Amino acid sequence: MDFSLTEEQQMVRDMARDFSREQLLPRARKHDEQGCIDPEVFVGLAELGLWGLTIPEEHGGAGMGNFELALVLEELNAGCASTGVTVSVHNSLLGSPIRRFGTVEQQNDWLPQLASGERIGAYCLTEPNAGSDAGAVKTSARRDGDDWILDGTKIFVTNGAFAGLFIVYARTNPLEPGAKGMSAFLVPCEAEGLTVGKAEKKTGIRGSSTTEILFENLRLPKEALLGEENKGFTVAMDTLDGGRIGIASQGLGIGRACLEASIRYAKDREQFGRPIGRFQAIQWKLADMSTQLDASRMLVHRAALKRDAGERCSLEAAQSKLMASKTANFCADECLQIHGGAGYTDDFEVERLFRDARITEIYEGATDIQRIVIARSLLA
Ligand code: CAA
């Protein structure tokens, strides 16, 4: 197994690392406190081509794969997890399904605008009664001549406040209550009948946008259907295979930031007449954090490479998210413990990292959903 990166991969990772250190880390506290990402960050991401990292070159993107995206997302999330999830959702949950399921016209229409960051993407699956049970979606799309009429409410939509294009999962066959009767639609933000609803106040990743999105009598042309009618659940799940690798990369970034903060503090903080890093109790924590992060990274990279090879990677993606999200929370917990009382105040970034880490075990499939996906694959 070759663990080395190509020159191009090193270059893109280093570019993301520099941007994260110079532009994201200094703003992370402000993003958290103000509940939004600095507009200059959006411009910077566009200048570096990160909105279009995985969009094909013929559509204005960089034409890279999930592996390079994982490298980039680890770096961005090490600086600011709010920015990290914004970029992850845009690339994995919108750019990816249009590439994988879109018609030539849909790709020509939407991918260039996503690649430039002119339109940011959002993914509308979750509803008040359809969270882990994603097949329980009630939002409906009914035919009216050649058009579709969309009605319903989506919740917890990342990027909801500023997204320019939404992928919306709706029931197109009311006689099929579960996963079978759903379809995917591409809905531009200016569509009449689309309203951005309540913005959530969250425990962590407070700089990212999470909103309700409401659809009322929203008319869509037949060209808005993405993939086959009534096959939307497959689009949703295939898309989440990629998204979960993105959130696993977020876990890596947050966890690594915790390890780096812990090392700095362990060298700096003195108790009993010596730096606390000289005590074995602290050394063991650092060793465990580092080892779990490396193991998680290998799972993330394996899943990304399998997806890039065009193979189904549901098992590997779920394993990588399960492990990396647990590692992020483990590292955040240990980092806070190493910082002691100081870590429980906002004098240090660990309190933000601790809050940001928590969501990685919840969104894009909670930890127990990953276990279900893994177990079903083992038993199949
Ligand atoms: N790729 C392709 N097809 C897939 C698939 C995949 N990864 N996973 C399932 N399918 C197909 C199955 O093969 C099956 O097809 P057939 O009927 O033709 O055999 C069909 O989809 C139904 O699959 P299941 O029977 O497994 O469906 P289920 O109802 O039992 O659900 C589940 C399985 C794993 C629990 C699923 O509902 C799930 O993943 N739930 C979690 C939802 C989730 O992750 N939500 C996150 C929303 S996004 C977000 O978090 C916000 C954000 O913006 C960050």
Side-chain angles (χ1 to χ4, degrees), residues 304-327:
L305 287 171
K306 191 162 184 196
R307 190 160 169 87
D308 288 340
E311 292 173 51
R312 182 158 165 187
C313 67
S314 310
L315 166 69
E316 292 79 5
Q319 287 176 330
S320 74
K321 184 176 183 286
L322 175 66
M323 175 86 179
S325 60
K326 286 205 142 307
T327 297

Side-chain angles (χ1 to χ4, degrees), residues 85 89 93 101 122-126 130-136 155-159 178-180 231 233-241 244 247 312-314 362-366 369-370 372-373 376:
V85 70
V89 164
L93 299 191
F101 297 95
Y123 181 88
C124 302
L125 176 64
T126 306
S132 290
D133 184 6
I155 58 168
F156 301 156
V157 178
T158 303
N159 299 345
K180 287 198 189 323
K231 291 274 167 39
F233 193 76
T234 306
V235 177
M237 291 297 121
D238 175 86
T239 300
L240 282 171
D241 284 347
R244 286 168 184 168
I247 300 306
R312 182 158 165 187
C313 67
S314 310
I362 298 171
Y363 58 16
E364 300 208 24
I369 293 298
Q370 307 312 321
I372 288 173
V373 173
R376 280 186 183 176

Side-chain angles (χ1 to χ4, degrees), residues 52-68:
L53 191 76
T54 53
I55 290 175
E57 288 179 51
E58 69 261 33
H59 292 115
M64 293 190 175
N66 290 277
F67 183 73
E68 289 79 8

